[in-house]
Amino acid sequence: MLLARNHEPEITCGSCGGSASKVCQTWLWERGSDAWLCEACADAHEDDCDRPTYLPKVNSPRTGICAYTGSPIDG
Ligand SMILES: [Zn+2]
Ligand SMILES: [Zn+2]
């Protein structure tokens, strides 16, 4: 296992556990962290999602990621 040398926040793909590169806003509302997807899973995700709307993973932690820590709807 290699350690990343930068401080990019590590976000795992909610589908395969790989390194996520984007997040689907639709799923972010419904499923929270499962909305994070790698490139391969994002492709497959479009079959499951009513309205795929992706945001890229933001490199700077200071850039506003207002929805990221939002609480998923629980029941
Ligand atoms: Zn994946
Ligand atoms: Zn989606």
Side-chain angles (χ1 to χ4, degrees):
M1 203 59 96
L2 295 172
L3 294 174
R5 270 194 267 174
N6 61 24
H7 292 152
E8 188 172 314
E10 192 168 323
I11 302 174
T12 54
C13 172
S15 182
C16 75
S19 180
S21 62
K22 59 179 70 173
V23 61
C24 174
Q25 288 186 288
T26 304
W27 269 28
L28 196 59
W29 281 90
E30 298 174 0
R31 307 192 184 208
S33 61
D34 279 358
W36 289 94
L37 299 164
C38 68
E39 291 292 334
C41 292
D43 206 39
H45 170 76
E46 293 177 17
D47 291 335
D48 291 334
C49 186
D50 290 337
R51 188 171 295 191
T53 307
Y54 300 121
L55 286 175
K57 185 168 71 173
V58 181
N59 285 330
S60 168
R62 295 193 179 230
T63 307
I65 310 176
C66 48
Y68 171 48
T69 53
S71 46
I73 298 165
D74 197 357

